[in-house]
Amino acid sequence: MSYNLHAICLKFSSVAVLLLLLQAGNAQKNKKNDKEYGIENFEGLNALLIQNQKLLGADVVGLVARDTIVFKKEMGEFNSKTEAPIGSASTWLTTALIMVLVDEGVISLDDKVSQYIPIFSSYGKNFITIRHCLSNFTGIETDGKLVDIKKYASLQLAAESFAKKEIQSNPGTECRYSNAGITIAGSIAEIVTKKKFDQLIKQKLFKPLDMTKTTFGTMDGSAINVAYGARSIANDYIKFLQMLLHNGKHNNKQVLSEEAIKEMRKLQADPGQIKLAPKAATGFGYAMGAWVIEEKDGKATVMTAPGFFGTWPVVDWARGHVYFIMSKTLLKEPTAQVYMQMNEAMEKEPAP
């Protein structure tokens, strides 16, 4: 009797060991697969990421989403939870915050900047509106270099510095990419709400979108850079893009109104009106906070906000998907060409 019991115990022990080995094997398999999935459905994008890994900087993550994430590719030490600077992709976030305040009736896109920052009147800049600020139509002189915001003690002081610059063209006539307009708009957001920008955008945008790892905060107490100072992770930023794709909704909640999304998609400047643009956006039009890759009847169907730190976010309303490429490499001209090749590959993907 004791022998039979011992044999049964051995048999169960063997089964238990086998189950543990299978679980360990499955865990390893799942861990490996967690770095990439949906590859068979996005073969063109996957091939380009592999071919250009060295150029993109070895550490790269790519996500594609519709209602959920349908493609993921993680290469090197980078993954979808790695926090990094997102460069000019920050501007799209700031623009969305301004549109939240428009939705709430706190401000209007056609309000004059001088209404909130009087020094603009003192320097003859009475006609610049918030819309001009979001679309790079302020006419404020720029040499193509982004102004270092960190040297100012506050966002308002940074905004006021632009009031003292010369006017290069009448507001609304020529589009020149710079961080002037978006900095002014960000300062107005602080003034009308009496809240610091990083706390305001967390409350109004990041929290409703469950973007828990995204921040504009600074460690040294300097002015917040609302143009290119955000840090984020791919898993966060893709939620923002999905919200835009779904006309302002996230998890069945309206974060931005459909009217706000329509405004953000309006073509403000066609390529002929753009006098200054980064190489990554050459040939694109401009809306508010982002570049227009494709448009129909004055409405963007594909938009992007490429960041100098190697981010490439795209919303494609025509094909019903968004995607986000993130790397540690500064965005250079060859890199921009690769991203455009990726865009062409994605255009060939059938709509869901």
Side-chain angles (χ1 to χ4, degrees), residues 16 47 91 94 96 165 183 221 246 255 259 265 268 272 306 334:
T91 299
T94 298
K165 288 184 174 292
T183 301
H246 298 309
V255 178
E259 188 59 35
R265 292 177 63 182
Q268 302 291 330

Side-chain angles (χ1 to χ4, degrees), residues 42 51 81 87-88 155 229 304:
F42 298 90
Q51 292 167 15
K81 297 179 182 178
S88 299
L155 187 55
T304 184

Side-chain angles (χ1 to χ4, degrees), residues 252-268:
N252 294 319
K253 293 182 180 179
Q254 204 76 40
V255 178
L256 276 176
S257 68
E258 290 190 25
E259 188 59 35
I261 301 298
K262 288 178 183 177
E263 285 289 344
M264 292 177 73
R265 292 177 63 182
K266 283 182 181 178
L267 183 69
Q268 302 291 330

Side-chain angles (χ1 to χ4, degrees), residues 23-276:
Q23 287 175 355
N26 285 333
Q28 289 295 320
K29 183 178 178 182
N30 289 337
K31 184 177 180 181
K32 181 179 179 181
N33 287 344
D34 190 51
K35 290 186 71 67
E36 60 177 45
Y37 55 78
I39 306 301
E40 66 282 358
N41 297 321
F42 298 90
E43 293 179 352
L45 178 61
N46 184 59
L48 284 167
L49 286 170
I50 294 171
Q51 292 167 15
N52 295 284
Q53 184 175 5
K54 185 176 180 180
L55 179 63
L56 294 174
D59 298 318
V60 184
V61 60
L63 298 179
V64 180
R66 289 167 181 154
D67 289 334
T68 60
I69 295 174
V70 293
F71 168 92
K72 179 164 77 170
K73 182 79 171 182
E74 297 173 343
M75 301 189 296
E77 298 301 317
F78 228 37
N79 62 57
S80 59
K81 297 179 182 178
T82 302
E83 184 181 324
I86 60 172
S88 299
S90 310
T91 299
W92 217 350
L93 299 175
T94 298
T95 301
L97 172 64
I98 300 301
M99 295 310 299
V100 170
L101 299 181
V102 171
D103 276 344
E104 293 177 350
V106 178
I107 58 175
S108 168
L109 287 175
D110 297 313
D111 285 348
K112 301 292 193 298
V113 167
S114 57
Q115 177 180 337
Y116 305 101
I117 312 177
I119 193 174
F120 277 84
S121 292
S122 303
Y123 284 88
K125 296 181 178 65
N126 303 52
F127 301 103
I128 298 174
T129 66
I130 295 174
R131 186 188 299 275
H132 292 148
C133 290
L134 299 181
S135 56
N136 290 310
F137 266 114
T138 63
I140 293 172
E141 185 178 37
T142 177
D143 58 3
K145 295 179 181 178
L146 298 176
V147 174
D148 181 14
I149 303 300
K150 287 179 69 67
K151 65 182 181 181
Y152 296 99
S154 70
L155 187 55
Q156 185 168 344
L157 287 174
E160 289 176 351
S161 73
F162 290 109
K164 301 172 185 178
K165 288 184 174 292
E166 296 294 325
I167 283 288
Q168 197 165 2
S169 59
N170 290 331
T173 59
E174 294 179 348
C175 178
R176 287 184 174 84
Y177 182 77
S178 77
N179 58 344
I182 198 68
T183 301
I184 296 165
S187 177
I188 290 172
E190 283 194 340
I191 291 167
V192 298
T193 62
K194 295 181 174 58
K195 293 182 179 179
K196 291 295 184 182
F197 184 88
D198 55 333
Q199 293 302 313
L200 180 63
I201 197 166
K202 181 179 180 180
Q203 175 194 347
K204 299 287 188 180
L205 190 67
F206 297 159
K207 188 174 181 181
L209 287 174
D210 303 313
M211 295 172 66
T212 59
K213 300 297 182 181
T214 305
T215 179
F216 275 86
T218 61
M219 300 298 291
D220 58 4
S222 59
I224 291 172
N225 190 328
V226 302
Y228 56 93
R231 296 178 63 86
S232 189
I233 63 174
N235 279 350
D236 265 12
Y237 205 95
I238 202 81
K239 294 174 185 176
F240 171 69
L241 299 178
Q242 286 176 292
M243 181 272 292
L244 296 177
L245 177 68
H246 298 309
N247 294 318
K249 282 188 176 181
H250 173 72
N251 288 342
N252 294 319
K253 293 182 180 179
Q254 204 76 40
V255 178
L256 276 176
S257 68
E258 290 190 25
E259 188 59 35
I261 301 298
K262 288 178 183 177
E263 285 289 344
M264 292 177 73
R265 292 177 63 182
K266 283 182 181 178
L267 183 69
Q268 302 291 330
D270 61 43
Q273 292 175 289
I274 297 174
K275 305 303 179 183
L276 184 65

